[in-house]
């Protein structure tokens, strides 16, 4: 199933962007084996709710144990892709850097996910999504006039600027490797991707059609016809009526005679009119009024909403008792799928290693180089050390 069927991926488990990227690869059909540390790492909740870990099997290996690191090299030798998200130099110290992996598999695509990149003054510095957005300029864009920057959860940095660029790089390198017979390193940094996402606005800034002051431009709530408005029940409607024909539809549906939007001096008055108008009805009433129109107006829904369009496309599904987003994008011949539910770290150690052709799994478990989850807790059979 999926366009990546037959592609084998080794994931050295990490936080945020690495599991999201490997989730995408698994949903596209790749056979992804996730290498967890014994006992697992930081989680947002119980393992079964860690949706970023869905779609692949988990083995627990102590990478500081020579046999644990050696097992990863044996997996890499037969894989198409390896993904790691350590700080620069950590994989090398474990004996799992690109040189060691390419020595056993020259065609391997070696994906590296970091915040600051593999080099540069900040390469060894800790950081999180908000920091990479801040330095790239992307965070400066988000917010209202006169107010502070607003934080878009970790969607823009970790997942858009990080995971998606990593996956794009991996897919491109896979295509190239099939022709050249040689693998390569994909250095995906969140600060790089976040800056790259601003390309259109960098052009507008150079042209003088975008200002550095946030909340004063066409697409950052500076324009009253591209903003959100509170409804009578304390909810909100999103308005994106940019083009003249869509704006005309908005005004017709609202039955207004507002000031000319093309004169920026009128924007404060237009915003006041729209604010007062949307406050007169509930979100449900406005949603019904604009249903099927080209006014570019939509209700602001909470996570996992149930709007008829979302339901019709099956955008959210129930699986294993958890409401979650279905795989995206969609394919006409090779559909993607969710696959395995999120697994406890080490849940599939014995079966997954065996399936990948590792012959001495019992010895790995006996020495503590590998750990098998027993269902209730991780069973540590040796002197495994967390990384």
């Amino acid at each position: 199933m999926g366009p990546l069927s037959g592609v084998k991926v080794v994931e050295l488990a990490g936080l945020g962007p690495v599991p999201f990227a490997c989730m995408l690869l698994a949903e596209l059909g790749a056979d992804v084996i996730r290498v967890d540390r014994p006992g697992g790492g930081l989680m947002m909740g119980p393992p079964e709710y860690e949706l970023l870990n869905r779609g692949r099997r988990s083995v627990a290996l102590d990478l500081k144990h020579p046999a644990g690191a050696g097992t990863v090299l044996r997996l890499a030798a037969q894989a198409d892709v390896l993904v790691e998200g350590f700080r620069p130099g950590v994989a090398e110290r474990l004996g799992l850097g690109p040189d060691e992996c390419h020595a056993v598999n020259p065609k391997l695509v070696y994906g590296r996910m970091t915040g600051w990149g593999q080099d540069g003054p900040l390469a060894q510095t800790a950081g999180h999504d908000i920091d990479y957005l801040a330095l790239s300029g992307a965070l400066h864009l988000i917010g209202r006039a006169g107010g502070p920057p607003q934080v878009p959860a970790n969607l823009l940095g970790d997942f858009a600027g990080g995971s998606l660029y990593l996956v794009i790089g991996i897919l491109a390198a896979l295509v190239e490797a099939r022709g050249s017979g040689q693998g390569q390193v994909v250095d995906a940094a969140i600060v790089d991707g976040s800056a790259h996402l601003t390309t259109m606005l960098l052009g507008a800034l150079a042209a003088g059609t975008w200002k550095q002051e946030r909340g004063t431009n066409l697409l950052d709530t500076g324009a009253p016809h591209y903003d959100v408005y509170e409804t009578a029940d304390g909810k909100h409607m999103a308005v994106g009526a940019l083009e003249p024909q869509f704006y005309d539809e908005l005004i017709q549906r609202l039955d207004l005679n507002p000031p000319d939007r093309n004169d920026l001096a009128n924007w404060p008055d237009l915003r006041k009119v729209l604010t007062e108008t949307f406050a007169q009805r509930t979100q449900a009433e406005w949603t019904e009024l604009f249903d099927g129109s080209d006014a570019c107006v939509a209700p602001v829904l909470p996570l996992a909403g149930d709007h008829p369009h979302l339901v019709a496309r099956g955008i959210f599904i129930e699986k294993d008792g958890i409401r979650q987003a279905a795989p995206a994008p969609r394919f006409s011949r090779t559909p993607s799928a969710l696959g395995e539910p999120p697994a406890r770290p080490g849940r599939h150690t014995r079966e997954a290693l065996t399936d990948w052709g590792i012959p001495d799994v019992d010895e790995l478990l006996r020495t503590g180089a590998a750990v098998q989850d027993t269902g209730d807790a991780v069973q540590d059979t040796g002197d495994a050390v967390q990384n």
Side-chain angles (χ1 to χ4, degrees):
M1 299 292 289
L4 292 185
S5 179
V7 173
K8 300 180 73 173
V9 179
V10 177
E11 170 193 357
L12 303 186
L15 299 177
V18 166
F20 189 82
C22 291
M23 179 194 78
L24 284 174
L25 294 172
E27 291 172 2
L28 292 173
D31 177 9
V32 182
I33 186 169
R34 193 176 87 247
V35 179
D36 279 299
R37 66 180 64 189
L42 180 66
M43 296 185 182
M44 295 280 286
E48 60 270 23
Y49 291 94
E50 287 289 316
L51 293 180
L52 292 187
N53 292 338
R54 70 190 189 185
R56 56 245 198 243
R57 295 181 293 181
S58 168
V59 305
L61 294 174
D62 176 9
L63 301 186
K64 292 186 177 180
H65 192 297
T71 300
V72 172
L73 286 178
R74 286 190 284 176
L75 295 172
Q78 56 184 298
D80 300 288
V81 179
L82 182 143
V83 180
E84 63 94 354
F86 302 129
R87 285 201 206 190
V90 171
E92 284 81 356
R93 290 196 293 273
L94 293 169
L96 299 173
D99 290 344
E100 292 87 352
C101 289
H102 283 144
V104 299
N105 184 355
K107 292 184 66 175
L108 183 73
V109 172
Y110 193 104
R112 315 197 83 165
M113 181 78 261
T114 59
W116 301 117
Q118 295 297 314
D119 52 29
L122 296 178
Q124 293 295 333
T125 306
H128 274 296
D129 174 289
I130 191 172
D131 306 304
Y132 315 131
L133 290 181
L135 209 65
S136 71
L139 189 62
H140 177 80
L141 295 169
I142 307 169
R144 294 191 173 277
Q150 297 297 310
V151 181
N154 68 331
L155 302 178
L156 183 57
D158 278 354
F159 302 140
S163 303
L164 296 185
Y165 278 84
L166 175 60
V167 170
I168 290 169
I170 287 172
L171 297 180
L174 276 174
V175 172
E176 196 279 336
R178 290 179 176 177
S180 69
Q182 297 181 341
Q184 60 182 305
V185 175
V186 178
D187 174 5
I190 299 173
V191 69
D192 295 357
S194 299
H196 194 257
L197 289 170
T198 68
T199 296
M200 183 186 77
L201 300 184
L202 290 172
L205 183 66
T209 57
W210 189 274
K211 293 182 288 186
Q212 287 278 16
E213 295 78 17
R214 62 181 156 270
T216 64
N217 300 285
L218 184 64
L219 301 175
D220 63 358
T221 73
H225 44 288
Y226 198 88
D227 204 346
V228 294
Y229 291 95
E230 187 172 357
T231 59
D233 52 351
K235 300 179 181 180
H236 293 85
M237 299 296 291
V239 176
L242 293 177
E243 292 82 356
Q245 67 273 26
F246 302 151
Y247 180 75
D248 290 344
E249 176 76 6
L250 169 72
I251 298 307
Q252 185 272 325
R253 293 265 175 162
L254 292 176
D255 193 22
L256 296 177
N257 184 26
D260 181 12
R261 72 165 187 173
N262 294 316
D263 184 348
L264 272 60
N266 290 330
W267 279 12
D269 290 338
L270 176 56
R271 187 181 305 279
K272 182 174 184 294
V273 170
L274 292 174
T275 299
E276 293 174 349
T277 301
F278 276 103
Q280 294 172 9
R281 302 189 191 184
T282 66
Q283 184 189 72
E285 290 172 326
W286 287 123
T287 300
E288 182 179 4
L289 178 70
F290 286 103
D291 183 42
S293 80
D294 280 345
C296 300
V297 177
V300 179
L301 299 181
L303 284 172
D306 58 357
H307 186 277
H309 184 79
L310 306 181
V311 174
R313 286 185 59 82
I315 291 175
F316 293 105
I317 59 177
E318 293 281 342
K319 183 170 172 53
D320 304 309
I322 303 174
R323 187 166 172 81
Q324 51 195 286
R330 306 177 188 210
F331 298 86
S332 62
R333 289 193 302 103
T334 57
S336 53
L338 288 184
E340 295 273 348
R344 295 180 64 92
R347 170 67 179 81
H348 307 100
T349 297
R350 185 184 297 277
E351 69 172 76
L353 291 179
T354 300
D355 288 349
W356 275 56
I358 304 300
D360 51 351
V361 177
D362 287 337
E363 179 65 12
L364 293 170
L365 291 169
R366 187 191 69 78
T367 62
V371 174
Q372 174 71 44
D373 180 85
T374 61
D376 297 324
V378 172
Q379 180 65 45
D380 188 342
T381 59
D383 56 353
V385 180
Q386 292 189 13
N387 298 313

